[in-house]
Amino acid sequence: MTNQHMLRLEPGTDAAWKLSGTDAGRFSLANEYLAYLADRNYSPRTVRAYGYDLLAFCRWLVSQDLELAAVTVETVLDFMRFCRLTPIEGRPANVLSMTGRRLDRYSATTINHRLAALSGMFAFRSMREPELHSPIPSGREARRVSAEERNALLGHLIRPKKRSELRLRQQRMLPRALDRRETADLLSSLRTWRDRAIAGLMLLSGLRSGEVLTLDVTDIDIGTRWVRVLGKGGKERRVPLDIEVAGLIQTYLLLERPESDCARLFLVAKGPNRGQSLTPAGLRTVFRYHRIKSGVLAGHPHALRHTFGTAMAEAGVDLAVMQALLGHAHVDTTARYIHLAPAHVKAEFDAARTRLRTRT
């Protein structure tokens, strides 16, 4: 029997996830930590993501015949080396990215995410048992603090948290926006009012796919053209609603939305699940179909949000306003879109060169 069969991740009670299987008893700390995250009101998706990170680590410990209590810095280094060198099943081994990295290996982002899960679990253990130190060494301070810490009463006294010295260097990739032709081709392939309204909310209001799927009918105020959005971390914000998108939503509600007791705005229209809330998997299926149909292979849901951010940057919208519209916790994230505004950057560059020429 393989390690995968001896240890697996399953949904527990409420928002908690847990490790189960033959070897689950050896890793009670992991389950206690996941339950702790759920008790702290972390979203089920976050708890699930941390659960899979810990599952990978615990499976590796089983293969090495090690216990959590015996984990040292050297053990963590060995695990990171394993993550970096082990091929991913189903990925082509002979394909390289433009940077020369093999595509059948885990990315630095994935490995750092696993490291963060381990760091959190061992910090949780140290909180309960101070005599047990974490095997994850702390390094230099992070570049920023969270929005909640920064806006607190004594936020000016908060110092950034220290990150682990084991973190891998990550490439800072700019978001990929769709150009006008790609946007037009993708939108023209959409046939239902529901799909057009979903795309419109992402493209013209900058909503995330998860935010679109959690919208209730009562969150849309077509008269005043506002949308109440529940974003990451349970942060609520109000976003202006474009008049064209308001028309699409109104037509969808009048002509296409199935009768249902479900409060969600966007529902499944056909099949045995008709009238139930549209799921993330269902939304991915919709966009996968239309990407192939339109030939716009970059037309992922989040690409529409990136296109919105780029358009706002090119229009010269204030950075603080863009942050509020996009629901970013840190202005650094919003600032990435400034680099995606080539027209604005080129205009400023040409203006600066003109001023320099007139001085000489």
Side-chain angles (χ1 to χ4, degrees), residues 86-162:
T86 303
I88 304 174
E89 187 177 352
R91 296 276 186 90
N94 59 341
V95 180
L96 303 180
S97 69
M98 294 297 291
T99 60
R101 184 179 65 84
R102 291 179 57 169
L103 297 185
D104 65 333
R105 298 291 192 266
Y106 287 111
S107 67
T109 303
T110 299
I111 297 175
N112 284 339
H113 198 281
R114 289 183 173 182
L115 183 62
L118 296 181
S119 180
M121 180 179 67
F122 286 116
F124 167 72
R125 186 185 68 175
S126 298
M127 179 183 68
R128 296 195 310 174
E129 303 177 63
E131 69 279 3
L132 297 178
H133 298 289
S134 172
I136 312 294
S138 60
R140 62 184 180 183
E141 294 178 342
R143 294 174 57 240
R144 59 194 183 191
V145 298
S146 69
E148 290 79 5
E149 293 172 329
R150 186 175 61 248
N151 297 330
L153 181 62
L154 299 178
H156 60 289
L157 299 178
I158 299 294
R159 293 180 60 85
K161 297 178 181 177
K162 289 189 175 183

Coordinates of all heavy atoms in Angstrom, one line a residue, residues 86-162:
T86 N 11.7 16.3 -7.1 CA 10.8 15.3 -7.5 C 9.9 15.7 -8.7 O 9.3 16.7 -8.6 CB 9.9 14.9 -6.3 OG1 10.8 14.5 -5.2 CG2 9.0 13.7 -6.6
P87 N 9.9 14.9 -9.7 CA 9.0 15.2 -10.9 C 7.5 15.1 -10.5 O 7.2 14.3 -9.6 CB 9.4 14.1 -11.9 CG 10.7 13.6 -11.5 CD 10.7 13.7 -10.0
I88 N 6.7 15.9 -11.1 CA 5.3 15.9 -10.9 C 4.7 15.0 -11.9 O 4.9 15.1 -13.1 CB 4.7 17.3 -11.0 CG1 5.4 18.3 -10.1 CG2 3.2 17.3 -10.8 CD1 4.9 19.7 -10.2
E89 N 3.9 14.0 -11.4 CA 3.3 13.0 -12.3 C 2.4 13.7 -13.3 O 1.6 14.5 -12.9 CB 2.6 12.0 -11.4 CG 2.0 10.8 -12.3 CD 1.4 9.8 -11.4 OE1 1.5 9.9 -10.1 OE2 0.8 8.8 -11.9
G90 N 2.5 13.3 -14.6 CA 1.6 13.8 -15.6 C 2.2 15.1 -16.3 O 1.6 15.5 -17.3
R91 N 3.2 15.7 -15.8 CA 3.8 16.8 -16.4 C 4.9 16.4 -17.4 O 5.6 15.4 -17.2 CB 4.5 17.7 -15.4 CG 3.5 18.4 -14.4 CD 2.9 19.6 -14.9 NE 2.0 20.2 -13.9 CZ 2.5 21.2 -13.1 NH1 3.8 21.5 -13.1 NH2 1.7 21.7 -12.2
P92 N 5.0 17.1 -18.6 CA 6.1 16.7 -19.6 C 7.5 17.0 -19.0 O 7.7 18.1 -18.6 CB 5.7 17.6 -20.8 CG 5.0 18.7 -20.2 CD 4.2 18.2 -19.1
A93 N 8.3 16.0 -19.1 CA 9.7 16.1 -18.5 C 10.6 16.8 -19.4 O 11.7 17.3 -19.0 CB 10.2 14.7 -18.1
N94 N 10.3 16.9 -20.7 CA 11.3 17.5 -21.7 C 10.9 18.9 -22.1 O 11.3 19.4 -23.1 CB 11.3 16.6 -22.9 CG 10.0 16.4 -23.6 OD1 9.0 16.7 -23.0 ND2 10.0 16.0 -24.8
V95 N 10.0 19.6 -21.3 CA 9.6 20.9 -21.7 C 10.2 21.9 -20.6 O 10.1 21.7 -19.4 CB 8.0 21.0 -21.7 CG1 7.6 22.5 -22.0 CG2 7.5 20.1 -22.7
L96 N 10.7 23.0 -21.2 CA 11.3 24.1 -20.3 C 10.5 25.3 -20.5 O 10.0 25.6 -21.5 CB 12.8 24.3 -20.7 CG 13.7 23.1 -20.6 CD1 15.1 23.5 -21.0 CD2 13.7 22.5 -19.2
S97 N 10.5 26.2 -19.4 CA 9.9 27.5 -19.5 C 10.9 28.4 -20.2 O 12.0 28.1 -20.5 CB 9.6 28.0 -18.1 OG 10.8 28.3 -17.4
M98 N 10.5 29.7 -20.4 CA 11.4 30.6 -21.1 C 12.6 31.0 -20.2 O 13.6 31.4 -20.7 CB 10.6 31.9 -21.4 CG 9.5 31.8 -22.4 SD 10.1 31.3 -24.0 CE 10.9 32.8 -24.5
T99 N 12.5 30.7 -18.9 CA 13.6 31.0 -18.0 C 14.5 29.8 -17.9 O 15.5 29.8 -17.1 CB 13.1 31.4 -16.6 OG1 12.3 30.3 -16.1 CG2 12.2 32.6 -16.7
G100 N 14.2 28.7 -18.5 CA 15.0 27.5 -18.5 C 14.6 26.5 -17.4 O 15.2 25.5 -17.2
R101 N 13.5 26.8 -16.6 CA 13.1 25.9 -15.6 C 12.2 24.8 -16.1 O 11.4 25.0 -17.0 CB 12.2 26.7 -14.5 CG 11.8 25.8 -13.3 CD 11.0 26.7 -12.3 NE 9.8 27.1 -12.9 CZ 8.7 26.4 -12.9 NH1 8.7 25.2 -12.4 NH2 7.6 26.9 -13.4
R102 N 12.5 23.5 -15.7 CA 11.7 22.4 -16.1 C 10.3 22.5 -15.6 O 10.0 22.8 -14.4 CB 12.3 21.1 -15.6 CG 13.6 20.8 -16.3 CD 14.2 19.5 -15.8 NE 13.3 18.4 -15.9 CZ 13.7 17.1 -15.8 NH1 15.0 16.8 -15.4 NH2 12.9 16.1 -15.9
L103 N 9.3 22.2 -16.4 CA 7.9 22.4 -16.0 C 7.3 21.2 -15.3 O 6.2 21.2 -14.9 CB 7.0 22.6 -17.3 CG 7.4 23.9 -18.0 CD1 6.4 24.1 -19.2 CD2 7.3 25.1 -17.1
D104 N 8.2 20.1 -15.1 CA 7.7 19.0 -14.3 C 8.2 19.1 -12.9 O 8.2 18.0 -12.2 CB 8.1 17.7 -14.9 CG 9.6 17.5 -14.9 OD1 10.3 18.5 -14.9 OD2 10.1 16.3 -14.9
R105 N 8.5 20.2 -12.4 CA 9.0 20.4 -11.0 C 8.1 21.5 -10.3 O 7.4 22.3 -11.0 CB 10.4 21.0 -11.0 CG 11.4 20.0 -11.6 CD 11.6 18.8 -10.7 NE 12.8 18.1 -11.1 CZ 12.8 17.0 -12.0 NH1 11.6 16.7 -12.5 NH2 13.9 16.4 -12.3
Y106 N 8.0 21.4 -9.0 CA 7.2 22.4 -8.3 C 7.9 23.7 -8.3 O 9.1 23.8 -8.3 CB 7.1 21.9 -6.8 CG 6.2 20.8 -6.6 CD1 6.7 19.5 -6.2 CD2 4.8 20.9 -6.7 CE1 5.8 18.4 -6.0 CE2 3.9 19.8 -6.5 CZ 4.5 18.6 -6.2 OH 3.6 17.5 -6.0
S107 N 7.0 24.8 -8.4 CA 7.5 26.1 -8.5 C 8.0 26.6 -7.1 O 7.6 26.0 -6.1 CB 6.5 27.1 -9.0 OG 5.4 27.2 -8.1
A108 N 8.8 27.7 -7.1 CA 9.2 28.2 -5.8 C 8.0 28.7 -5.0 O 8.0 28.6 -3.7 CB 10.2 29.4 -6.1
T109 N 7.0 29.2 -5.6 CA 5.8 29.6 -4.9 C 5.1 28.5 -4.2 O 4.7 28.6 -3.0 CB 4.8 30.2 -5.9 OG1 5.4 31.3 -6.6 CG2 3.5 30.8 -5.2
T110 N 5.0 27.3 -4.8 CA 4.4 26.1 -4.2 C 5.3 25.7 -3.0 O 4.7 25.4 -1.9 CB 4.3 25.0 -5.2 OG1 3.5 25.4 -6.3 CG2 3.7 23.8 -4.5
I111 N 6.6 25.7 -3.1 CA 7.5 25.2 -2.0 C 7.4 26.2 -0.9 O 7.3 25.8 0.3 CB 8.9 25.0 -2.6 CG1 8.9 23.9 -3.6 CG2 9.8 24.7 -1.4 CD1 10.3 23.8 -4.3
N112 N 7.4 27.5 -1.2 CA 7.3 28.5 -0.1 C 5.9 28.4 0.6 O 5.8 28.7 1.8 CB 7.5 29.9 -0.7 CG 8.9 30.2 -1.0 OD1 9.8 29.6 -0.4 ND2 9.2 31.2 -1.8
H113 N 4.9 28.1 -0.1 CA 3.6 27.9 0.5 C 3.6 26.7 1.5 O 3.0 26.8 2.6 CB 2.5 27.7 -0.6 CG 1.1 27.9 -0.1 ND1 0.4 27.0 0.7 CD2 0.3 29.0 -0.2 CE1 -0.8 27.5 0.9 NE2 -0.9 28.7 0.4
R114 N 4.3 25.6 1.1 CA 4.4 24.5 2.0 C 5.2 24.9 3.2 O 4.9 24.5 4.3 CB 5.0 23.3 1.2 CG 4.1 22.7 0.2 CD 4.7 21.5 -0.5 NE 3.8 20.8 -1.3 CZ 4.0 19.7 -2.1 NH1 5.2 19.2 -2.0 NH2 3.1 19.2 -2.8
L115 N 6.3 25.7 3.0 CA 7.1 26.1 4.1 C 6.3 27.0 5.1 O 6.5 26.9 6.3 CB 8.3 26.9 3.6 CG 9.3 27.3 4.6 CD1 10.0 26.2 5.3 CD2 10.4 28.2 3.9
A116 N 5.4 27.8 4.5 CA 4.6 28.7 5.4 C 3.7 27.8 6.2 O 3.4 28.1 7.4 CB 3.8 29.6 4.5
A117 N 3.1 26.7 5.6 CA 2.2 25.8 6.4 C 3.0 25.2 7.5 O 2.5 25.1 8.7 CB 1.6 24.8 5.5
L118 N 4.2 24.7 7.3 CA 5.0 24.1 8.3 C 5.4 25.1 9.4 O 5.3 24.8 10.6 CB 6.3 23.5 7.7 CG 6.1 22.4 6.7 CD1 7.5 21.9 6.2 CD2 5.4 21.2 7.3
S119 N 5.8 26.3 9.0 CA 6.1 27.3 9.9 C 4.9 27.6 10.9 O 5.1 27.8 12.1 CB 6.6 28.6 9.2 OG 6.9 29.6 10.1
G120 N 3.7 27.7 10.3 CA 2.6 28.0 11.1 C 2.3 26.9 12.1 O 1.9 27.1 13.2
M121 N 2.4 25.6 11.6 CA 2.1 24.5 12.5 C 3.1 24.4 13.6 O 2.7 24.2 14.8 CB 2.2 23.2 11.7 CG 1.9 21.9 12.5 SD 1.9 20.4 11.5 CE 3.7 20.3 11.1
F122 N 4.4 24.6 13.4 CA 5.3 24.5 14.5 C 5.3 25.8 15.4 O 5.6 25.7 16.6 CB 6.7 24.4 13.9 CG 7.0 23.0 13.3 CD1 7.2 22.8 12.0 CD2 7.0 21.9 14.2 CE1 7.5 21.5 11.5 CE2 7.2 20.6 13.7 CZ 7.4 20.4 12.3
A123 N 4.9 26.9 14.8 CA 4.6 28.1 15.7 C 3.4 27.8 16.6 O 3.4 28.2 17.8 CB 4.4 29.3 14.8
F124 N 2.4 27.1 16.1 CA 1.3 26.7 16.9 C 1.7 25.8 18.0 O 1.2 26.0 19.2 CB 0.2 26.1 16.0 CG -0.9 25.3 16.7 CD1 -1.9 26.0 17.4 CD2 -0.9 24.0 16.7 CE1 -2.9 25.4 18.1 CE2 -1.9 23.3 17.4 CZ -2.9 24.0 18.0
R125 N 2.6 24.9 17.7 CA 3.1 24.0 18.8 C 3.9 24.7 19.8 O 3.7 24.5 21.0 CB 4.0 22.9 18.1 CG 4.4 21.8 19.1 CD 5.4 20.9 18.4 NE 6.7 21.5 18.1 CZ 7.7 20.8 17.6 NH1 7.6 19.5 17.4 NH2 8.9 21.5 17.4
S126 N 4.7 25.7 19.4 CA 5.5 26.5 20.4 C 4.6 27.4 21.2 O 4.9 27.6 22.4 CB 6.5 27.3 19.6 OG 7.4 26.5 18.9
M127 N 3.5 27.8 20.7 CA 2.5 28.6 21.4 C 2.0 27.8 22.6 O 1.8 28.3 23.7 CB 1.4 29.1 20.5 CG 0.4 30.0 21.2 SD -1.0 30.5 20.1 CE -1.8 28.9 19.8
R128 N 1.7 26.5 22.3 CA 1.1 25.7 23.4 C 2.2 25.1 24.3 O 1.9 24.9 25.5 CB 0.3 24.5 22.7 CG -0.9 24.9 21.9 CD -1.8 23.8 21.6 NE -1.0 22.7 21.1 CZ -1.5 21.5 20.8 NH1 -2.8 21.2 21.1 NH2 -0.8 20.5 20.3
E129 N 3.4 24.8 23.7 CA 4.5 24.3 24.5 C 5.7 25.1 24.3 O 6.5 24.8 23.4 CB 4.7 22.8 24.1 CG 3.5 21.9 24.3 CD 3.7 20.5 23.8 OE1 4.6 19.8 24.4 OE2 3.1 20.1 22.8
P130 N 5.9 26.2 25.0 CA 7.0 27.1 24.8 C 8.4 26.5 24.8 O 9.3 27.0 24.2 CB 6.8 28.2 25.9 CG 5.4 28.1 26.3 CD 5.0 26.6 26.1
E131 N 8.5 25.4 25.5 CA 9.8 24.7 25.6 C 10.2 24.0 24.3 O 11.4 23.7 24.1 CB 9.9 23.7 26.7 CG 9.1 22.5 26.5 CD 7.6 22.7 26.9 OE1 7.2 23.8 27.2 OE2 6.8 21.7 26.8
L132 N 9.3 23.8 23.4 CA 9.5 23.2 22.1 C 9.7 24.3 21.0 O 8.8 25.0 20.7 CB 8.4 22.3 21.7 CG 8.1 21.1 22.6 CD1 7.0 20.3 22.1 CD2 9.4 20.2 22.7
H133 N 10.9 24.5 20.5 CA 11.2 25.5 19.6 C 10.9 25.0 18.1 O 11.0 23.8 17.8 CB 12.7 25.9 19.6 CG 13.0 26.5 21.0 ND1 12.6 27.8 21.4 CD2 13.8 26.0 22.0 CE1 13.0 28.0 22.6 NE2 13.8 27.0 23.0
S134 N 10.5 26.0 17.3 CA 10.2 25.6 15.9 C 11.5 25.3 15.1 O 12.5 26.0 15.3 CB 9.5 26.8 15.2 OG 9.3 26.6 13.9
P135 N 11.4 24.3 14.3 CA 12.6 23.9 13.5 C 12.7 24.8 12.2 O 13.7 24.7 11.5 CB 12.3 22.5 13.1 CG 10.8 22.4 13.1 CD 10.4 23.3 14.2
I136 N 11.8 25.7 12.1 CA 11.9 26.7 10.9 C 12.6 27.9 11.4 O 12.0 28.7 12.2 CB 10.5 27.0 10.4 CG1 9.6 25.7 10.2 CG2 10.6 27.8 9.1 CD1 10.1 24.8 9.2
P137 N 13.8 28.2 11.0 CA 14.5 29.4 11.4 C 13.9 30.6 10.8 O 13.5 30.7 9.7 CB 15.9 29.2 10.9 CG 15.8 28.3 9.7 CD 14.6 27.4 10.0
S138 N 13.8 31.7 11.7 CA 13.3 33.0 11.2 C 14.4 33.8 10.6 O 15.6 33.7 11.0 CB 12.7 33.7 12.4 OG 13.6 34.0 13.4
G139 N 14.1 34.6 9.6 CA 15.1 35.4 8.9 C 14.8 36.8 9.0 O 14.3 37.3 10.1
R140 N 15.0 37.6 8.0 CA 14.8 39.0 8.0 C 13.3 39.3 8.0 O 12.5 38.5 7.6 CB 15.5 39.7 6.8 CG 14.9 39.2 5.4 CD 15.7 39.8 4.3 NE 15.2 39.4 3.0 CZ 15.7 39.8 1.9 NH1 16.8 40.6 1.9 NH2 15.2 39.4 0.7
E141 N 13.0 40.5 8.3 CA 11.6 40.9 8.4 C 11.0 41.0 7.0 O 11.6 41.3 6.0 CB 11.4 42.3 9.1 CG 11.9 42.3 10.6 CD 11.8 43.6 11.2 OE1 11.7 44.6 10.4 OE2 11.7 43.7 12.4
A142 N 9.7 40.7 7.0 CA 8.9 40.9 5.7 C 8.8 42.4 5.3 O 9.0 43.3 6.2 CB 7.5 40.3 5.9
R143 N 8.5 42.6 4.1 CA 8.5 44.0 3.6 C 7.3 44.8 4.1 O 7.3 46.0 4.0 CB 8.5 44.0 2.1 CG 9.8 43.5 1.5 CD 9.7 43.4 0.0 NE 9.4 44.6 -0.6 CZ 8.4 44.8 -1.4 NH1 7.5 43.9 -1.6 NH2 8.1 46.0 -2.0
R144 N 6.3 44.1 4.5 CA 5.1 44.9 4.9 C 4.3 44.1 6.0 O 4.5 42.9 6.2 CB 4.2 45.1 3.7 CG 3.8 43.7 3.0 CD 3.2 44.0 1.6 NE 2.7 42.7 1.0 CZ 2.4 42.6 -0.2 NH1 2.5 43.7 -1.0 NH2 2.0 41.5 -0.7
V145 N 3.4 44.8 6.6 CA 2.5 44.2 7.6 C 1.1 44.1 7.1 O 0.8 44.7 6.0 CB 2.5 45.0 9.0 CG1 3.9 45.1 9.6 CG2 2.0 46.4 8.7
S146 N 0.3 43.3 7.7 CA -1.1 43.1 7.2 C -1.9 44.4 7.4 O -1.6 45.2 8.2 CB -1.7 41.9 7.9 OG -2.0 42.3 9.3
A147 N -3.0 44.5 6.6 CA -3.8 45.7 6.7 C -4.4 45.8 8.1 O -4.5 46.9 8.6 CB -4.9 45.6 5.7
E148 N -4.8 44.7 8.7 CA -5.4 44.7 10.1 C -4.4 45.3 11.1 O -4.8 46.1 11.9 CB -5.9 43.4 10.5 CG -7.1 42.9 9.7 CD -6.7 42.3 8.3 OE1 -5.5 42.3 8.0 OE2 -7.6 42.0 7.5
E149 N -3.2 44.8 11.0 CA -2.2 45.3 11.9 C -1.8 46.8 11.7 O -1.7 47.6 12.6 CB -0.9 44.5 11.8 CG -1.0 43.0 12.2 CD 0.2 42.2 11.9 OE1 0.8 42.5 10.8 OE2 0.5 41.3 12.6
R150 N -1.8 47.2 10.4 CA -1.4 48.5 10.1 C -2.5 49.5 10.5 O -2.2 50.7 10.9 CB -1.1 48.6 8.6 CG -0.6 50.0 8.1 CD -0.2 50.0 6.7 NE -1.4 49.7 5.8 CZ -1.6 48.6 5.1 NH1 -0.7 47.7 5.1 NH2 -2.7 48.5 4.4
N151 N -3.7 49.1 10.4 CA -4.8 50.0 10.7 C -5.3 50.0 12.2 O -6.3 50.6 12.6 CB -6.0 49.7 9.8 CG -5.7 50.0 8.3 OD1 -4.9 50.8 8.0 ND2 -6.3 49.2 7.5
A152 N -4.6 49.2 13.0 CA -5.0 49.0 14.4 C -4.7 50.3 15.2 O -4.0 51.2 14.7 CB -4.3 47.8 15.0
L153 N -5.1 50.4 16.4 CA -4.9 51.5 17.2 C -3.5 51.9 17.4 O -3.0 53.0 17.4 CB -5.6 51.3 18.6 CG -5.5 52.5 19.6 CD1 -6.2 53.7 19.0 CD2 -6.1 52.1 20.9
L154 N -2.7 50.8 17.6 CA -1.2 51.0 17.8 C -0.5 50.5 16.6 O 0.6 49.9 16.7 CB -0.7 50.3 19.0 CG -1.4 50.8 20.4 CD1 -0.9 49.9 21.5 CD2 -1.1 52.3 20.6
G155 N -1.1 50.7 15.4 CA -0.5 50.2 14.2 C 0.9 50.7 13.9 O 1.7 50.1 13.2
H156 N 1.2 52.0 14.3 CA 2.5 52.6 14.0 C 3.6 51.9 14.8 O 4.8 52.1 14.5 CB 2.4 54.1 14.4 CG 2.1 54.3 15.8 ND1 0.9 54.1 16.4 CD2 2.9 54.8 16.9 CE1 0.9 54.5 17.7 NE2 2.1 54.8 18.0
L157 N 3.2 51.1 15.8 CA 4.2 50.4 16.6 C 4.5 49.0 16.1 O 5.4 48.3 16.6 CB 3.8 50.3 18.1 CG 3.6 51.7 18.7 CD1 3.2 51.5 20.2 CD2 4.9 52.5 18.7
I158 N 3.7 48.5 15.1 CA 3.8 47.1 14.7 C 5.0 47.0 13.7 O 5.2 47.8 12.8 CB 2.5 46.7 13.9 CG1 1.3 46.7 14.9 CG2 2.7 45.3 13.4 CD1 1.4 45.8 16.0
R159 N 5.8 46.0 14.0 CA 7.0 45.8 13.1 C 6.6 44.6 12.2 O 5.9 43.7 12.6 CB 8.2 45.4 13.9 CG 8.8 46.6 14.7 CD 10.0 46.1 15.5 NE 11.1 45.7 14.6 CZ 11.9 46.5 14.0 NH1 11.9 47.8 14.2 NH2 12.9 46.0 13.2
P160 N 7.1 44.6 10.9 CA 6.8 43.5 10.1 C 7.3 42.1 10.7 O 8.3 42.1 11.3 CB 7.6 43.8 8.8 CG 7.8 45.3 8.8 CD 7.9 45.6 10.3
K161 N 6.5 41.1 10.4 CA 6.9 39.8 10.9 C 8.2 39.2 10.2 O 8.4 39.6 9.0 CB 5.8 38.8 10.7 CG 4.5 39.1 11.5 CD 3.4 38.1 11.2 CE 2.1 38.5 11.9 NZ 1.0 37.6 11.6
K162 N 8.9 38.4 10.8 CA 10.1 37.8 10.2 C 9.7 36.6 9.4 O 8.9 35.8 9.8 CB 11.1 37.4 11.3 CG 11.8 38.6 12.0 CD 12.9 38.2 12.9 CE 13.6 39.4 13.5 NZ 14.8 39.0 14.3

